């Protein structure tokens, strides 16, 4: 398993280079995981991508590097402490880098000779492939998938010339990756929503959720979906609510600041009982915070957003496959219970790319249009009919002769405004009773590690891959660790947690926030306290190494 970093300033083409290299590695039979770190500016600053690749599946990034491709000296200065003793620094011969591990090549001269200075990235990719003893056999396919047709030949020439500059240093046996696909987290969410039958998406561009809007916009005509870039997040969620009210499976997406603007409308879905799927791609806040970086600090916010009390579901997406399947599931839950379902993800998961098994659209719980409630000729339709389950028969206005009346004020069974204390109690109890059914189909947190573990890590969402790998490495040292990773997180499933809490010596929460929001929620719901915390909130994702170091510090070494 190898780990390389590509770094330069914003505008240097790091994103294009990493995307192209990802495709070539995948075509070459490698599994890979790419983590992206970039500044919130158009040019300048320092951007980088880390690509970890192997002949076995990979679910997280690690810190130690086998190689660095440095477009500038800043990349070397920032990341050389991460480079292994036997690693290499690949750069142009013009850079002032004095390190015995440096490999200076005439990258710029070759690019100029070929006729386009921008192909320096392809020259470097050719050199990297040779260093890792990979051929150029699949480059043509990858280039066709990434570049305009008039740029393919010149980039193939650049790849070949870069390839001829170096010699193999490492060797990797190819895997069988034909049954795997390469995609980002936000793309997986988009595919899941399409598999569920989503037909309307509205959003206002806000990093790191914007790529969802771009995905739907790119495939809108092909998939026959309506995509609307609204003037702000308030309009975006209200458009989605309107579409849902009209019987169209709808979704909106944003990041924490945009979700703040959506809060009142979120409450409207609660009292009006209109199904809605909303995606919150977390970034560090408050306010603008760090727009292009990652955090898990919206958990307590989204489970309580909006005034008043109403049922909702929050699902923390754990990995790229989970993005697909849970996005599809969210539509089923929202429409079944007529509630908002919030998909909680973050920049790390949204922008990272990895190889995952082919997605099975037939396995998702496909959205089914609401069944029309049977109506009696003798009585009018009651949109908010009191039922044992709390779920009232739904009808679509315009598709029925019945009058479908909704209201954001408290209302009676017919949707008429009321201030009756009796009816208020009935309606609150009706809405909240949906939680009883919802809790029966919660998915318990995934357990990973030794069944008879003495130490239990708990985490949620995108820390899943790093936690699992850390547990495997700890258990390889016979340290007896396990982990519970929450996907369904509100309402909180508690059965498996309570089981393990009775057998372990200690519980350690691992989170990307400053206050331990998951630990707080666990304590609130179960009275179970975590003994230690490993927290990170600098905008950079917890790595496998961060978790191992955190445990080492707790233990005083190992």
């Amino acid at each position: 398993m190898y780990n390389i970093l590509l770094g330069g300033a914003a505008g240097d083409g790091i994103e294009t280079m990493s995307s192209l290299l990802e495709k070539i590695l995948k075509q070459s039979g490698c599994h890979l995981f790419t983590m992206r770190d970039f500044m919130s500016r158009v040019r300048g600053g320092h951007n980088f991508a880390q690509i970890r690749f192997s002949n076995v599946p990979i679910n997280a990034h690690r810190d130690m590097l086998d190689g660095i491709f440095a477009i500038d000296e800043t990349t070397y200065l920032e990341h050389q402490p991460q480079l292994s003793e036997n690693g290499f620094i690949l750069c142009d011969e013009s850079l002032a880098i004095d390190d015995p591990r440096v490999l200076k090549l005439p990258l710029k001269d070759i690019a100029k000779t070929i006729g386009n200075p921008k192909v320096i990235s392809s020259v470097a990719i050719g050199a990297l492939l040779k260093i890792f003893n990979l051929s150029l056999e699949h480059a043509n396919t990858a280039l066709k998938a990434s570049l305009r047709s008039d740029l393919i030949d010149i980039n193939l020439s650049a790849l070949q010339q870069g390839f001829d500059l170096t010699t193999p240093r490492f060797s990797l046996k190819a895997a069988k990756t034909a049954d795997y696909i390469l995609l980002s987290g936000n793309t997986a969410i988009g595919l899941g929503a399409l598999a569920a039958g989503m037909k309307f998406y509205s959003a206002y561009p806000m990093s790191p959720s914007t790529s969802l809007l771009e995905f739907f916009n790119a495939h809108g005509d092909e998939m026959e979906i309506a995509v609307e870039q609204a003037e702000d997040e308030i309009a975006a969620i209200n458009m989605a609510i309107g579409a849902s009210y009209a019987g169209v499976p709808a979704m909106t997406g944003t990041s924490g600041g945009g979700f703040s603007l959506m809060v009142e409308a979120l409450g409207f879905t609660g009292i009006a009982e209109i199904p809605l799927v909303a995606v919150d791609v977390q970034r560090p806040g408050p306010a603008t915070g760090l727009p292009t970086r990652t955090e898990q600090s919206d958990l307590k916010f989204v489970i309580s957003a909006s005034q008043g009390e109403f049922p909702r579901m929050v699902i923390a997406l754990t990995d790229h496959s989970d993005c697909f399947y849970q996005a599809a599931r969210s539509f089923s839950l929202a429409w079944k219970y007529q509630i908002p379902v919030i998909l909680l993800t973050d920049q790390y998961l949204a922008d990272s790319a990895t190889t995952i098994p082919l997605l099975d659209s037939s396995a998702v719980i496909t959205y089914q249009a609401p069944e029309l409630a049977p109506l009696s000729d003798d009585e009018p339709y009651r949109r908010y009919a009191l039922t044992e389950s709390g779920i009232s028969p739904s009808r679509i206005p315009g598709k029925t002769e019945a009058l479908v009346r909704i209201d954001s004020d408290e209302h009676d069974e017919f949707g008429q405004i009321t201030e009756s204390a009796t009816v208020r109690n009935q309606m609150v109890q009706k809405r909240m009773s949906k939680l009883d059914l919802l809790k029966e189909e919660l998915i318990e947190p995934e357990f990973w590690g030794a069944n008879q573990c003495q130490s239990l890590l708990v985490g949620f969402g995108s820390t899943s891959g790093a936690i699992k790998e850390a547990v495997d490495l700890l258990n390889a040292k016979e340290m007896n660790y396990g982990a519970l990773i929450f996907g369904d997180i509100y309402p909180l499933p508690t059965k498996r947690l309570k089981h393990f809490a009775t057998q372990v010596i200690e519980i350690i929460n691992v989170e990307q926030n400053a206050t331990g929001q998951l630990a707080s929620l666990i304590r609130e719901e179960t009275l179970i306290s975590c003994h230690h915390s490993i927290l990170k909130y600098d905008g950079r994702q917890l790595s496998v190494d961060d978790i191992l170091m955190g445990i080492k510090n707790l233990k005083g070494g190992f």
Side-chain angles (χ1 to χ4, degrees):
M1 190 172 295
Y2 299 112
N3 194 17
I4 60 174
L5 182 144
L6 319 174
D12 279 343
I14 293 300
E15 172 58 27
T16 302
M17 181 180 179
S18 60
S19 296
L20 179 58
L21 184 55
E22 285 172 354
K23 292 182 176 67
I24 295 176
L25 289 172
K26 166 66 170 58
Q27 292 286 336
S28 302
C30 295
H31 292 283
L32 59 95
F33 187 97
T34 301
M35 182 269 286
R36 291 174 165 80
D37 188 299
F38 48 93
M39 308 286 283
S40 56
R41 62 183 71 171
V42 177
R43 294 196 67 85
H46 174 59
N47 289 2
F48 67 91
Q50 281 185 216
I51 304 178
R52 196 176 176 208
F53 55 101
S54 173
N55 52 16
V56 296
I58 309 169
N59 297 310
H61 75 287
R62 295 205 63 176
D63 295 337
M64 184 63 72
L65 299 170
D66 299 293
I68 296 173
F69 168 59
I71 287 186
D72 55 17
E73 283 134 6
T74 300
T75 299
Y76 169 73
L77 295 172
E78 289 275 338
H79 300 287
Q80 63 87 14
Q82 296 173 243
L83 189 63
S84 70
E85 187 177 340
N86 298 320
F88 66 90
I89 305 132
L90 178 67
C91 65
D92 185 72
E93 58 190 4
S94 63
L95 295 193
I97 296 176
D98 183 16
D99 190 301
R101 298 168 294 182
V102 72
L103 178 60
K104 293 186 177 182
L105 300 175
L107 305 175
K108 291 182 179 177
D109 285 346
I110 290 175
K112 288 179 182 176
T113 302
I114 291 174
N116 187 342
K118 293 184 179 178
V119 301
I120 183 175
S121 297
S122 293
V123 181
I125 289 174
L128 288 169
L129 292 175
K130 187 70 165 292
I131 288 172
F132 287 98
N133 202 23
L134 296 168
S135 75
L136 294 177
E137 178 185 356
H138 304 287
N140 192 33
T141 304
L143 286 172
K144 285 181 178 177
S146 305
L147 303 176
R148 296 199 321 257
S149 57
D150 60 314
L151 297 176
I152 292 175
D153 287 344
I154 191 172
N155 279 279
L156 280 174
S157 176
L159 282 169
Q160 184 64 60
Q161 294 199 46
F163 192 80
D164 294 338
L165 289 175
T166 54
T167 56
R169 291 191 178 196
F170 307 96
S171 182
L172 181 67
K173 185 178 179 181
K176 293 182 179 178
T177 57
D179 293 334
Y180 285 76
I181 58 173
L182 171 67
L183 80 176
S184 71
N186 269 1
T187 301
I189 292 173
L191 292 171
L194 293 176
M198 188 205 77
K199 290 297 181 186
F200 182 85
Y201 182 80
S202 54
Y204 178 77
M206 184 175 189
S207 297
S209 67
T210 306
S211 56
L212 260 178
L213 178 60
E214 293 170 341
F215 172 82
F216 290 126
N217 187 53
H219 299 283
D221 292 341
E222 175 190 1
M223 300 304 298
E224 298 183 336
I225 59 175
V227 182
E228 181 67 25
Q229 178 177 321
E231 64 265 36
D232 56 34
E233 286 85 353
I234 299 172
I237 188 171
N238 280 306
M239 286 179 179
I241 292 170
S244 180
Y245 174 61
V248 177
M251 185 166 87
T252 186
T254 186
S255 300
F259 198 84
S260 297
L261 293 175
M262 293 180 173
V263 164
E264 184 175 10
L266 185 77
F268 174 59
T269 67
I271 196 167
E273 301 185 53
I274 296 177
L276 178 74
V277 177
V279 185
D280 177 7
V281 189
Q282 298 169 95
R283 71 188 206 189
T288 306
L290 296 171
T292 60
R293 303 198 182 277
T294 198
E295 203 162 79
Q296 292 182 311
S297 52
D298 292 354
L299 173 60
K300 296 296 284 287
F301 168 48
V302 300
I303 66 176
S304 59
S306 184
Q307 72 275 27
E309 299 169 306
F310 58 91
R312 74 189 76 188
M313 174 88 178
V314 180
I315 303 172
L317 305 177
T318 57
D319 57 36
H320 296 69
S321 292
D322 197 51
C323 286
F324 173 79
Y325 293 107
Q326 294 303 325
R329 175 174 171 246
S330 67
F331 280 83
S332 176
L333 292 169
W335 262 257
K336 178 178 180 180
Y337 293 100
Q338 301 170 25
I339 59 172
V341 175
I342 301 163
L343 296 175
L344 194 60
T345 177
D346 54 42
Q347 181 273 329
Y348 177 75
L349 189 52
D351 293 332
S352 61
T354 189
T355 46
I356 61 172
L358 289 174
L359 300 170
D360 181 5
S361 60
S362 66
V364 304
I365 304 172
T366 305
Y367 162 76
Q368 298 292 325
E371 293 184 6
L372 296 181
L375 285 178
S376 167
D377 294 335
D378 300 329
E379 57 182 278
Y381 172 61
R382 295 177 296 159
R383 171 64 188 90
Y384 299 110
L386 297 174
T387 63
E388 186 174 346
S389 66
I391 302 171
S392 304
S394 177
R395 286 214 158 212
I396 307 303
K399 295 184 178 180
T400 174
E401 294 183 359
L403 176 61
V404 182
R405 183 188 290 124
I406 65 169
D407 207 287
S408 63
D409 281 54
E410 191 54 274
H411 41 253
D412 62 15
E413 291 182 278
F414 299 98
Q416 294 176 316
I417 295 174
T418 182
E419 295 193 26
S420 162
T422 299
V423 175
R424 165 67 177 177
N425 282 338
Q426 289 174 332
M427 284 297 152
V428 171
Q429 290 160 9
K430 175 189 112 63
R431 292 191 289 266
M432 298 306 289
S433 66
K434 298 177 188 178
L435 285 173
D436 295 333
L437 282 177
L438 183 59
K439 288 178 180 177
E440 291 180 5
E441 58 179 295
L442 292 177
I443 299 174
E444 290 290 322
E446 180 183 7
F447 177 76
W448 191 268
N451 281 320
Q452 301 302 317
C453 60
Q454 296 296 301
S455 299
L456 182 72
L457 306 183
V458 293
F460 71 101
S462 67
T463 54
S464 168
I467 290 175
K468 289 178 180 177
E469 187 166 340
V471 166
D472 287 344
L473 293 171
L474 290 165
N475 287 344
K477 297 176 183 289
E478 300 183 351
M479 294 185 67
N480 207 11
Y481 272 75
L484 284 178
I485 300 158
F486 286 82
D488 285 4
I489 200 163
Y490 189 82
L492 186 74
T494 59
K495 294 177 185 175
R496 191 166 288 171
L497 173 66
K498 289 178 178 177
H499 165 74
F500 279 98
T502 61
Q503 79 171 41
V504 300
I505 296 173
E506 60 179 357
I507 301 176
I508 304 168
N509 60 305
V510 181
E511 303 181 49
Q512 286 270 153
N513 56 60
T515 57
Q517 296 188 19
L518 174 62
S520 173
L521 181 62
I522 288 174
R523 171 69 181 168
E524 181 180 328
E525 296 287 331
T526 67
L527 297 181
I528 295 171
S529 296
C530 294
H531 301 86
H532 308 286
S533 295
I534 297 174
L535 306 176
K536 187 173 182 178
Y537 41 87
D538 61 1
R540 280 71 178 174
Q541 181 74 6
L542 268 161
S543 68
V544 178
D545 306 277
D546 288 327
I547 298 170
L548 294 174
M549 182 58 68
I551 291 175
K552 184 178 180 180
N553 290 337
L554 290 173
K555 299 292 181 186
F558 51 69

